[in-house]
C-alpha cells in the first residue's frame, strides 16, 4: 500500500516517480528494479486559512456532509514531537501529511485536509507527484473579528498580542496574494456568516474541486 516502497524488491524512495499517463492509469515506478505498481492518483483538497477563521469548527461539520465520499482530516493532529521541524516551510510535517493522504487515497476516497497551508509549502515537495491535483480554499475573516476570536481562545493556546499581530499580518498576506499563487487559492469570508452556512459552502467547494471545478 505504501507508494514509497516497491512491492517487488522492497526498495524505499523518498522521491516517488509517477507515470500519470500510463494506459491503464497512474503507476509508481521503482528506480531499482523497474517495477510499475498501479496507483490511485486522486486530488487532495486543502481547507486552509489563518488561525481563527473557523477551519476546525467547519471540519467537524464537514464530517457529517462529506464522509460518504471523502476522508476529512485535521492537520494539527500531527503537529507534535519530531514533526515540528524548525524550518519556516515545516517540510517534514508537510511531507508526512502528503504521504499519509496518498496512502489513504488508495482506499478510493479523496482526502480533505483542514489546516493552515499555502501552495509553496506543498507544490515543490517530491510527494506532490502522488496527487492528480491539489486545490486550496482559504477561509478569511475581517481583522478586528479575527483578533477578537484569537483573544477569546483558551489560555493554553498562548495567543498573546505579538502572536495575534503576526497572524493578522499573515492573514493580510494570504488575502492579497491568493490569486497570484500557483495554483491560485480560492477565498471564503467567514466574518459574519453562520458556521452551518460556511460548512455548506465549503462542502460544495470540495465537491466541485474534486471534480475539477473552481470556486
Amino acid at each position: 500500500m505504501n507508494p514509497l516502497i516497491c512491492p517487488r524488491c522492497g526498495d524505499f524512495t523518498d522521491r516517488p516517480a509517477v507515470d500519470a499517463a500510463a494506459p491503464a492509469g497512474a503507476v509508481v515506478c521503482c528506480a531499482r528494479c523497474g517495477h510499475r505498481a498501479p496507483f490511485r492518483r486522486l486530488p487532495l483538497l486543502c481547507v486552509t486559512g489563518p488561525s481563527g477563521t473557523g477551519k476546525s469548527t467547519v471540519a467537524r461539520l464537514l464530517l457529517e456532509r462529506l464522509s460518504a465520499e471523502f476522508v476529512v482530516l485535521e492537520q494539527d493532529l500531527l503537529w507534535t514531537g519530531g514533526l515540528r521541524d524548525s524550518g519556516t516551510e515545516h517540510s517534514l510535517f508537510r511531507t508526512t501529511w502528503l504521504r499519509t493522504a496518498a496512502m489513504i487515497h488508495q482506499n478510493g476516497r479523496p482526502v480533505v485536509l483542514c489546516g493552515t497551508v499555502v501552495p509553496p509549502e506543498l507544490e515543490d515537495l517530491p510527494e506532490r507527484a502522488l496527487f492528480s491535483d491539489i486545490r486550496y480554499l482559504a477561509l478569511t475573516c475581517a481583522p478586528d473579528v479575527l483578533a477578537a476570536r484569537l483573544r477569546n481562545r483558551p489560555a493554553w493556546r498562548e495567543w498573546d498580542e505579538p502572536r495575534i499581530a503576526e497572524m493578522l499580518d499573515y492573514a493580510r498576506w494570504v488575502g492579497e496574494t491568493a490569486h497570484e499563487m500557483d495554483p491560485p487559492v480560492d477565498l471564503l469570508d467567514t466574518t459574519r456568516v453562520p458556521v452551518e452556512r460556511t460548512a455548506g459552502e465549503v462542502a460544495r467547494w470540495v465537491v466541485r474541486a474534486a471534480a475539477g471545478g473552481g470556486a
Side-chain angles (χ1 to χ4, degrees):
M1 290 179 61
N2 189 338
L4 304 180
I5 299 176
C6 176
R8 175 189 286 172
C9 71
D11 192 42
F12 172 84
T13 180
D14 58 3
R15 302 191 70 84
V18 177
D19 181 358
V27 294
V28 177
C29 310
C30 178
R32 179 180 179 185
C33 74
H35 181 66
R36 295 167 63 84
F39 179 75
R40 281 181 169 145
R41 194 167 180 261
L42 304 180
L44 175 64
L45 298 317
C46 294
V47 178
T48 181
S51 298
T53 54
K55 298 184 299 298
S56 295
T57 303
V58 166
R60 297 187 188 97
L61 298 177
L62 291 180
L63 286 171
E64 304 170 6
R65 292 165 167 79
L66 299 175
S67 60
E69 300 179 46
F70 299 86
V71 177
V72 180
L73 297 172
E74 168 60 58
Q75 182 179 250
D76 286 351
L77 177 69
L78 297 183
W79 186 242
T80 183
L83 295 182
R84 292 193 180 196
D85 50 339
S86 59
T88 57
E89 303 297 325
H90 307 295
S91 58
L92 181 58
F93 177 70
R94 307 298 181 193
T95 292
T96 301
W97 264 121
L98 289 185
R99 293 179 181 182
T100 301
M103 179 172 260
I104 292 172
H105 281 177
Q106 302 319 294
N107 294 279
R109 290 192 292 170
V111 166
V112 180
L113 187 59
C114 301
T116 302
V117 66
V118 288
E121 294 172 315
L122 296 183
E123 297 296 327
D124 292 334
L125 295 176
E127 289 80 4
R128 171 62 180 85
L130 299 173
F131 302 90
S132 62
D133 195 8
I134 302 183
R135 304 297 297 273
Y136 303 82
L137 173 66
L139 305 186
T140 65
C141 186
D144 57 331
V145 175
L146 183 60
R149 290 179 182 177
L150 295 176
R151 291 188 184 105
N152 287 333
R153 287 189 162 184
W156 67 266
R157 304 192 72 167
E158 300 180 335
W159 280 99
D160 57 19
E161 291 304 314
R163 190 178 173 203
I164 290 172
E166 182 179 336
M167 185 54 59
L168 292 176
D169 287 341
Y170 176 77
R172 186 181 307 109
W173 174 77
V174 170
E176 292 175 351
T177 64
H179 65 287
E180 301 173 353
M181 295 187 193
D182 185 19
V185 176
D186 296 327
L187 300 176
L188 180 63
D189 192 336
T190 69
T191 303
R192 291 178 177 84
V193 181
V195 65
E196 290 281 348
R197 179 179 167 189
T198 296
E201 293 289 343
V202 173
R204 286 187 283 274
W205 176 87
V206 166
V207 173
R208 290 195 302 268

